[in-house]
Amino acid sequence: MTYLFCNWKMYLTNNEAMALASELATMQIPKTLTAAVFPNTMDFIGVRDALAETSFAVGSQNVAWVPQGAYTGATSAHLFHEAGAAYALVGHSERRHVFGETDEDARKKVEACMDVGIVPVLCIGETKEDLDAGKREYRLKKQLRAALEGLDIPVNSLMIAYEPVWAISAGGASDSCDPDVAQEVHMWLKQELRAYSPAPFSVLYGGSVTPENVVSFTACPAIDGVLVGSASTHTNQMRALLTACA
Ligand code: PEP
């Protein structure tokens, strides 16, 4: 099974998100593919409804860990679960580096998702500074340990996305990771993840994936799928991604 997860971030207006969802509802998802879109919270319910008769799952881009209460501006894993989210991104690099979320926040969010039955997609990745300082493994180990140590992780209840921060496009052109390097990192990660559960984890690659390069990642044996940002917000690129992943 290959995963195509689509992080729409805050790229689209409500009208644009709904138009894209209506287009997606007409597209064929290959049988070997699990596809999910992660719309902005504003658009979650509308997109969920537009995709209700399709095989696209819907996920949240973030969650708050407390279930309900006096938490202005927050939307909890509990509320997203009630609204039909199957997955949630946790610890996305923009949450960590723009909004200052910590490894400890990521852990609370992972736990909150697992408590309600949402599959958290724990996003980890080194910065350019980490990379230049030879600290990629150090950073990834630290993020994994903080989020997962001591957790009881049933089979298929948690996924990992390896997203090197320097490879994420932020809308403009950016360098994706060399697929051979990504394959090596994924192999190393899968070894590391054995410390947290004997059952295998699905590990996605994210960072400047496009219809043109997606197969170079999905063809790597240790890469279980891709998390796509910018390219997943364009109808023609989504159609091409789905075709390429078939
Ligand atoms: C992301 O931010 O999760 C991502 C992968 O973005 P992009 O594909 O635009 O690099």
Side-chain angles (χ1 to χ4, degrees):
M1 181 59 72
T2 301
Y3 295 88
L4 173 64
F5 280 11
C6 305
N7 177 12
W8 292 357
K9 311 194 187 191
M10 204 174 72
Y11 280 130
L12 303 173
T13 64
N14 180 256
N15 282 346
E16 289 166 343
M18 293 312 301
L20 178 56
S22 307
E23 292 285 348
L24 292 186
T26 68
M27 295 182 199
Q28 285 288 354
I29 303 181
K31 284 202 167 35
T32 51
L33 194 69
T34 297
V37 298
F38 296 75
N40 190 273
T41 304
M42 282 288 285
D43 307 323
F44 185 91
I45 301 277
V47 170
R48 174 201 69 186
D49 291 348
L51 296 175
E53 303 301 319
T54 75
S55 308
F56 278 101
V58 185
S60 70
Q61 297 178 8
N62 182 30
V63 295
W65 57 83
V66 284
Q68 256 176 301
Y71 300 98
T72 303
T75 309
S76 64
H78 172 83
L79 293 175
F80 273 115
H81 180 254
E82 197 179 62
Y87 304 96
L89 304 182
V90 169
H92 187 276
S93 78
E94 286 142 24
R95 299 300 318 169
R96 294 177 190 267
H97 299 291
V98 182
F99 296 103
E101 290 185 3
T102 63
D103 286 343
E104 291 66 37
D105 294 333
R107 184 193 180 88
K108 289 188 246 180
K109 293 177 183 203
V110 163
E111 287 186 290
C113 287
M114 289 173 61
D115 281 351
V116 296
I118 288 180
V119 174
V121 182
L122 175 67
C123 302
I124 57 173
E126 78 284 1
T127 62
K128 181 77 171 68
E129 291 70 34
D130 291 332
L131 189 67
D132 291 346
K135 287 185 158 179
R136 171 162 39 206
E137 283 79 7
Y138 161 84
R139 181 65 57 203
L140 298 177
K141 261 181 196 272
K142 185 167 179 294
Q143 291 175 337
L144 285 180
R145 192 179 321 115
L148 305 183
E149 196 163 51
L151 277 190
D152 177 25
I153 309 174
V155 187
N156 296 332
S157 63
L158 180 119
M159 296 171 72
I160 304 294
Y162 169 56
E163 298 204 293
V165 178
W166 49 269
I168 293 180
S169 77
S174 187
D175 287 338
S176 58
C177 186
D178 181 312
D180 291 339
V181 174
Q183 157 70 12
E184 266 177 44
V185 175
H186 278 239
M187 269 175 28
W188 175 84
L189 277 172
K190 287 187 169 184
Q191 191 64 37
E192 286 294 307
L193 284 163
R194 288 194 188 167
Y196 301 103
S197 170
F201 290 86
S202 294
V203 185
L204 313 185
Y205 168 77
S208 296
V209 174
T210 64
E212 291 72 37
N213 67 17
V214 65
V215 173
S216 64
F217 294 106
T218 55
C220 295
I223 298 181
D224 300 301
V226 286
L227 176 55
V228 186
S230 175
S232 73
T233 60
H234 303 280
T235 303
N236 54 349
Q237 297 204 43
M238 269 308 290
R239 193 171 282 114
L241 282 163
L242 286 167
T243 306
C245 289

